[in-house]
Amino acid sequence: MDTLRAILLMVLSMALLAASDAFLKLASQHAPVGQVMLMLSIGATLLFVGLARLRRVSLNLADAFHRKVMLRNIFEMVGALGMIVGLSKIPLSLMAAIMQTAPLVVTLGAALFLGEPVGWRRWLAIAVGLVGMLMVIRPGGSGFTGWEIFPVAGVTGLAARDLVTRVLPQRIPSIAVSAYGFAAVFPLGLAVLLVTGTPLVAEPPVFLHMAGAVVVTAAGYLAVTTAMRMAPVSAVAPFRYTRLVFTAGLGMAVFGERPDGWTWAGAALILGAGLYSFLRERRLARQQLAVLRP
């Protein structure tokens, strides 16, 4: 039952995070990346602190400096930088296709660092998914700008963040973990703003879009954090692929994007590889259950 709840939470979080991508892209069309990161960090951190107080959840400062929490925050910073820079520079539909490699990277990381068993078929699925990502990015092609590297780094950072989330002490509440993660983005956003030297923008659309981004990002972030701690990574991670549908749809509806054939083909490979990996995991789980039954 916990696994089913975790899956539903993951699908909900992907819909919310797709809306967040759209809001952040809209905001980045007017404001610099550093400002977007700062506003997202401040707004989401305050939201989670308020939610923690409402639910009487303790935000222990010692937990914020727990070595695993700090490691998770580092990966959060990498993911946030890659995501926001990517959203500001490349089409939303292309961004969505690249981000869908995250479940495969999570599965790879779970095998390498958490000791979860992964057979040759799922290793092959991971390889196929990475080929699909290369088809989407097409490094060296005429459409390659170099900005595509940022979402790839973002995917890696977010996948590592999710793996660390899985091994956090259970005594640290998900709300607190979320608050610490968003707070960690603040110094990075400030550093980006200072290094680039771009002035702050105070246009009303920026604040409107960022308010929307904060609300849906915080809700999606809490949902994915809870889902990752509720069930095994291999069972929950494949449902991240629903984000492709939500984000690509918003890219076409809001920004008028029309992905080319290579993007669709690469996204299909990524999606197929992820679904196969999930189905293979379910089959192995059923076989293990059958062996354990008297």
Side-chain angles (χ1 to χ4, degrees):
M1 197 63 180
D2 283 345
T3 299
L4 178 59
R5 292 194 188 99
I7 288 170
L8 293 175
L9 274 175
M10 182 61 75
V11 174
L12 174 62
S13 70
M14 292 303 101
L16 292 169
L17 293 176
S20 170
D21 292 341
F23 278 124
L24 290 173
K25 186 169 184 63
L26 288 168
S28 65
Q29 291 178 343
H30 303 278
V33 168
Q35 181 179 345
V36 172
M37 295 180 69
L38 281 177
M39 295 176 72
L40 180 63
S41 174
I42 294 171
T45 301
L46 291 176
L47 187 61
F48 276 112
V49 169
L51 185 59
R53 288 185 176 275
L54 184 65
R55 294 188 176 182
R56 297 182 180 179
V57 173
S58 175
L59 297 177
N60 192 333
L61 190 60
D63 289 340
F65 289 97
H66 189 283
R67 61 186 181 85
K68 290 183 180 178
V69 173
M70 294 184 69
L71 178 61
R72 182 187 185 279
N73 290 344
I74 291 173
F75 290 133
E76 182 72 62
M77 294 164 69
V78 174
L81 180 62
M83 280 285 296
I84 294 177
V85 172
L87 285 168
S88 68
K89 299 296 184 180
I90 67 176
L92 192 60
S93 53
L94 179 60
M95 182 79 180
I98 296 173
M99 292 302 296
Q100 295 319 297
T101 57
L104 294 173
V105 178
V106 169
T107 302
L108 174 63
L112 295 178
F113 301 108
L114 299 185
E116 293 192 8
V118 175
W120 68 268
R121 293 178 180 84
R122 282 194 290 162
W123 283 114
L124 182 60
I126 292 171
V128 170
L130 295 179
V131 169
M133 184 181 69
L134 291 175
M135 290 173 61
V136 170
I137 298 175
R138 298 191 291 281
S142 59
F144 183 72
T145 64
W147 293 111
E148 293 84 355
I149 299 300
F150 281 90
V152 173
V155 165
T156 305
L158 295 179
R161 178 203 67 184
D162 288 346
L163 290 172
V164 177
T165 299
R166 185 65 182 164
V167 298
L168 288 178
Q170 289 295 323
R171 62 179 177 78
I172 306 178
S174 295
I175 293 177
V177 173
S178 301
Y180 303 148
F182 275 111
V185 176
F186 181 87
L188 179 61
L190 184 61
V192 171
L193 199 61
L194 293 175
V195 169
T196 57
T198 50
L200 296 174
V201 176
E203 298 178 5
V206 174
F207 294 98
L208 180 63
H209 295 147
M210 286 307 303
V214 166
V215 172
V216 296
T217 300
Y221 191 95
L222 180 59
V224 74
T225 300
T226 304
M228 292 298 294
R229 303 181 73 182
M230 189 180 294
V233 171
S234 55
V236 178
F239 287 90
R240 285 181 174 275
Y241 287 108
T242 56
R243 187 172 182 173
L244 176 61
V245 178
F246 296 127
T247 307
L250 286 173
M252 291 185 285
V254 178
F255 300 97
E257 299 173 0
R258 295 295 180 267
D260 60 19
W262 280 100
T263 300
W264 284 120
L269 272 183
I270 295 169
L271 180 60
L275 290 177
Y276 174 80
S277 180
F278 168 68
L279 292 174
R280 180 64 182 169
E281 171 63 27
R282 290 294 298 272
R283 181 181 178 184
L284 292 175
R286 290 194 186 99
Q287 290 176 350
Q288 291 174 358
L289 183 61
V291 170
L292 293 174
R293 285 176 179 170

